[in-house]
Amino acid sequence: MKLNEIRDNPGAHYRAKRVGRGIGSGKGKTSGRGGKGQTARSGVALNGFEGGQTPLHRRLPKRGFTNIFRKDYTVVNLGRLQEALDAGKLKAEGAVDAKGLVAAGILRRSRDGVRLLAKGKLTTAITIEVAGASKSAIAAVEAAGGKVVLRGAKTAEAAAEA
């Protein structure tokens, strides 16, 4: 290969659109901008503007609200736990909680608590303390010989006592 043989990849470089260069170019006179008015000028970005007609985002009704008190749980899947156990980042003995998961590098932060979901397989018996867990995740952990302890969430027993 010589210096004079070096080329860009096909499609990496394209010729600039030369506007305002006469009728024959196909992009002469108005340069593809149509007639006069606001959109023929530079610096115009009218997102959602429909020519004076009420825009779609104003025609549709407002619905619902955002609950500012909603808990923001971090999700952990069983497969991730098993990977960490196999890699030796997590120890099976003792209870594993949110701090332990962060220390092991499984989570970056625990936020309002950890929610355990059943994606993946768990083969090691482990006791894990979480704020919430799906029924299938609890069943999978118990099938592996482990235990799920729900902390910081209302359990059926706590609700019955209250």
Side-chain angles (χ1 to χ4, degrees), residues 23-92:
I23 285 172
S25 70
K27 288 280 179 273
K29 196 184 167 209
T30 53
S31 304
R33 287 177 175 267
K36 295 184 276 188
Q38 190 176 11
T39 50
R41 317 284 187 236
S42 66
V44 177
L46 301 175
N47 269 346
F49 184 69
E50 297 183 22
Q53 172 178 299
T54 306
L56 183 68
H57 66 88
R58 286 182 52 206
R59 276 178 292 180
L60 296 175
K62 289 196 242 178
R63 275 193 52 81
F65 75 106
T66 303
N67 181 5
I68 60 169
F69 300 108
R70 183 179 180 203
K71 298 279 186 221
D72 185 17
Y73 293 116
T74 312
V75 172
V76 173
N77 286 306
L78 294 178
R80 280 283 276 133
L81 286 178
Q82 189 60 51
E83 283 174 21
L85 288 163
D86 294 342
K89 293 180 181 177
L90 204 60
K91 302 281 184 269

Side-chain angles (χ1 to χ4, degrees), residues 61-135:
K62 289 196 242 178
R63 275 193 52 81
F65 75 106
T66 303
N67 181 5
I68 60 169
F69 300 108
R70 183 179 180 203
K71 298 279 186 221
D72 185 17
Y73 293 116
T74 312
V75 172
V76 173
N77 286 306
L78 294 178
R80 280 283 276 133
L81 286 178
Q82 189 60 51
E83 283 174 21
L85 288 163
D86 294 342
K89 293 180 181 177
L90 204 60
K91 302 281 184 269
E93 50 274 349
V96 177
D97 59 351
K99 285 181 183 173
L101 294 172
V102 172
I106 296 170
L107 299 177
R108 247 176 97 205
R109 61 183 71 86
S110 61
R111 294 195 177 107
D112 292 331
V114 177
R115 184 158 164 76
L116 187 65
L117 299 182
K119 187 176 181 182
K121 264 207 158 130
L122 186 71
T123 55
T124 312
I126 186 172
T127 303
I128 183 159
E129 294 180 14
V130 287
S134 66
K135 288 178 184 174

